[in-house]
Every structure is written in C-alpha cells, then in structure tokens.
C-alpha cells in the first residue's frame, strides 16, 4: 500500500491549484502540517476548508480524520526500532524454519514487485541521465547499514565513467568536499528508517551549494526527501526486527544497468582501457590464465 507521502508526491501534478497548494504545504512540513485541523491547514495555505477535504478524498481517504489516522500509523512505523519490533518476532515461536523462510521469501518478492510497480518512471529516468552525464561529478553515501550499497554502486560506476566519489570517514571530513560542490555535482544518498541526521545535514549543505540531491529511501521517505531533486522509494519491511535492503539493492542495480545503456560506447571503451592497464591475466600473482591457455595447462597436468 502506498504511503501518504508517496500519494501526495505522485498526485501533485494532477491536483487543481488550490489542492496542490495544500499538498505542497503538507510535503514541506511533513507530517506536522497534516496533523492540524482541516480549517487551520486551509487558513495557513490561504484556501477554503473544502479544498483540503477534496484533496483528501481525491487521494482515496474516506475522511480527513481517516487521512490523519493513516499518517499517525505511518509515523509510528517510520520511527520503529528493532527493539520495538522484537515482540512480534518472538511470538512466531521456535517451530520449523521452513514455513517462516517461505513467508520471508514471499514478502521479499512482494517488496520487489511493489517497489518497481510504484517506482516513478520519470524520476528514475532523470536520475539515470544525471548519473550518465560525464560532466557531472557524482558523490555517493549511505547510512550505518546502507553505506555498503553506496560503496557497491560507486565501485561499479567508477568503471563506466570518471568523476565518482564515495564519501566516507567521519562527518567532519565530508565538508571539505562539499566546499567544491556546485551545479555540476550530484549527491546520491541511501537513507532509510531510523534516518541519519548527519546525512540530512550533508544533504542540506550540498543543496545550499546548488548540488542536486538524489535520495534512495524507504516507503515512509527520509526527511532528505524535502530537499531532494529526485526521490526513489523502496519497500524495506519484512517479518524481522531488521529492515531489508533487497529492494534498495535492486534499485541500485537497475540504475547501474540503465546508466551503462545510456553511454555504452564510452563505457565499453573505458572497460577495454581498464583491461589494458591491468595487463594479461590482470598481472597479479595467482591470477587466472587466459582462456586459450586453459586446455594446454589441463593437458600438461594430466601428463604429470
């Protein structure tokens, strides 16, 4: 099921002007703006209360209280920690693992399906163009658990094009790199619940220097979404105290595949140059022999 934030973002272009102003206000101060009364929200935005109610109905909610109830439930889920989810895990008991494994696999499949079914195609295409444009410098980073995804994607992209930087080390060491950011820089951030405040500060600093911020996040959307140029949400909830990175990794690999396609001629040329730099059989001790040498080596081994 789509979150309130996702429905607001997706419906923005199709809302009438007055309803669009309401949606923009809620998105700008989410969820606080949407938790006040309909009349207060309307007064703040400068529209009528019926405009607020029409927007809520257009999103598929039965009433404004229903809209607020769902927002509160999502906020609770957004702030969940592994400890808060552990009682549910404990209630599963200690029976056979096979049924639980099948359930887990089914949820993972569902997460992938939901993620790609609702991934905003226009947003995705625009992100790919940013990644493929060699005039842009690309900086990648993630949170405590998701930085491995940022590192993985940066290593792959570095093969395809120059100007790739994986931000690492301590937060204070990021800012000397932010100093050099400008309109031709892209900051790609992985951030899922419980959102990392240091990543928000980094995104704010980069945005102030006119860098474009791309966010890969969960269905509840990191606070970075308020200032991100593009947002790609993934489903992360599974029957576990931990969130899943499977759909996040799938988005990363989809971005890599499409970025490769965008400028394959250049990427192919760069790969050939990389192989030449590595030399025959990579030039490393213990490296695999070239393919044409394998039959000869096998024959010699049989004789000995």
């Amino acid at each position: 099921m789509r979150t309130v934030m996702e429905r607001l973002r997706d419906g923005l272009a199709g809302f009438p002007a007055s309803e669009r102003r309401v949606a923009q206000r809620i998105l700008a101060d989410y969820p606080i703006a949407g938790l006040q009364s309909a009349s207060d929200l309307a007064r703040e935005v400068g529209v009528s209360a019926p405009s607020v109610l029409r927007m809520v109905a257009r999103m598929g909610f039965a009433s404004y209280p229903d809209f607020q109830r769902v927002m509160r439930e999502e906020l609770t889920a957004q702030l969940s920690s592994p400890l808060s989810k552990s009682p549910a895990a404990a209630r599963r008991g200690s029976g056979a693992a096979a049924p639980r494994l099948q359930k887990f696999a089914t949820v993972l499949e569902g997460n992938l399906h939901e993620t790609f079914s609702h991934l905003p195609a226009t947003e995705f295409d625009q992100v790919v163009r940013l990644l493929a444009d060699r005039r842009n410098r690309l900086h990648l980073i993630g949170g405590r658990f998701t930085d491995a995804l940022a590192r993985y994607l940066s290593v792959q992209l570095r093969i395809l094009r120059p100007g790739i930087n994986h931000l690492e080390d301590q937060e204070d060491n990021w800012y000397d790199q932010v100093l050099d950011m400008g309109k031709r820089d892209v900051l790609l951030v992985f951030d899922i619940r419980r959102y990392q405040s240091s990543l928000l500060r980094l995104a704010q600093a980069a945005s102030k220097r006119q860098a474009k911020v791309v966010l890969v996040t969960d269905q509840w959307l990191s606070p970075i979404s308020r200032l991100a140029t593009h947002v790609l949400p993934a489903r992360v909830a599974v029957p576990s105290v931990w969130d899943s990175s499977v759909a996040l990794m799938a988005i990363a690999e989809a971005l890599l595949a499409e970025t490769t396609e965008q400028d394959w001629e250049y990427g192919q040329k760069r790969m050939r140059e990389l192989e030449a730099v590595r030399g025959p059989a990579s030039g490393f001790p213990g490296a695999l022999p070239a393919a044409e040498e394998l039959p000869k080596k096998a024959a010699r081994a049989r004789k000995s």
Side-chain angles (χ1 to χ4, degrees):
M1 185 176 178
R2 313 225 66 199
T3 64
V4 171
M5 178 78 92
E6 288 175 314
R7 285 193 259 184
L8 282 167
R9 285 178 61 90
D10 291 350
L12 207 55
F15 290 151
S18 60
E19 296 173 30
R20 190 181 310 122
R21 286 164 62 187
V22 176
Q24 288 169 333
R25 178 70 192 107
I26 296 174
L27 286 169
D29 190 15
Y30 186 90
I32 304 303
L35 294 176
Q36 59 187 318
S37 69
S39 57
D40 286 347
L41 177 57
R43 190 179 308 111
E44 191 177 282
V45 177
V47 300
S48 66
S51 293
V52 175
L53 301 180
R54 281 194 296 270
M55 184 208 72
V56 166
R58 199 181 302 276
M59 292 172 63
F61 293 100
S63 64
Y64 191 69
D66 184 44
F67 167 76
Q68 291 186 314
R69 176 187 58 78
V70 173
M71 284 185 68
R72 290 190 185 94
E73 289 173 355
E74 290 178 357
L75 183 59
T76 300
Q78 189 179 49
L79 299 176
S80 295
S81 71
L83 278 176
S84 68
K85 292 184 281 185
S86 60
R91 285 196 298 270
R92 288 202 302 265
S94 57
R100 296 200 302 275
L101 285 174
Q102 186 55 54
K103 179 183 178 182
F104 198 91
T106 301
V107 173
L108 285 180
E109 291 169 4
N111 282 352
L112 284 170
H113 176 76
E114 285 293 307
T115 294
F116 283 92
S117 293
H118 297 115
L119 201 65
T122 302
E123 291 268 280
F124 183 85
D125 289 343
Q126 290 172 346
V127 172
V128 168
R129 282 197 287 272
L130 286 176
L131 302 190
D133 189 342
R134 300 195 302 275
R135 295 171 298 175
N136 295 333
R137 290 179 300 179
L138 177 59
H139 312 269
L140 300 94
I141 192 169
R144 181 181 176 191
F145 299 115
T146 55
D147 194 51
L149 300 172
R151 180 186 292 275
Y152 169 83
L153 186 54
S154 69
V155 169
Q156 301 275 31
L157 289 172
R158 199 175 293 138
I159 296 171
L160 294 173
R161 48 153 293 182
I164 305 297
N165 174 37
H166 175 236
L167 288 159
E168 46 193 339
D169 300 320
Q170 300 177 2
E171 180 181 356
D172 285 347
N173 292 336
W174 301 341
Y175 293 104
D176 54 356
Q177 298 172 73
V178 171
L179 278 177
D180 297 326
M181 290 185 186
K183 293 180 179 179
R184 277 296 173 188
D185 288 270
V186 177
L187 176 65
L188 194 158
V189 183
F190 291 85
D191 190 32
I192 63 173
R193 67 177 182 183
R194 311 161 73 198
Y195 311 108
Q196 202 160 303
S197 56
S198 59
L199 295 180
L200 176 58
R201 291 191 291 271
L202 173 64
Q204 288 169 333
S207 182
K208 284 179 182 176
R209 301 193 75 84
Q210 298 185 296
K212 297 175 181 66
V213 177
V214 174
L215 173 66
V216 182
T217 185
D218 54 31
Q219 62 260 47
W220 302 284
L221 305 189
S222 158
I224 295 171
S225 63
R226 297 168 195 164
L227 53 88
T229 311
H230 303 291
V231 178
L232 301 176
R235 265 47 183 183
V236 302
V238 289
S240 167
V241 300
W242 308 105
D243 284 332
S244 166
S245 293
V246 168
L248 298 166
M249 172 63 89
I251 288 178
E253 295 202 326
L255 288 172
L256 177 64
E258 289 301 315
T259 301
T260 304
E261 289 292 324
Q262 282 282 313
D263 198 357
W264 172 236
E265 186 174 341
Y266 179 84
Q268 191 176 36
K269 175 177 176 290
R270 190 172 167 90
M271 287 178 184
R272 289 198 182 104
E273 290 175 356
L274 178 59
E275 290 302 313
V277 169
R278 285 175 171 166
S282 300
F284 295 113
L288 288 173
E292 60 271 17
E293 290 297 316
L294 288 174
K296 298 175 186 176
K297 286 182 177 287
R300 287 197 295 270
R302 283 195 297 271
K303 288 178 182 177
S304 61

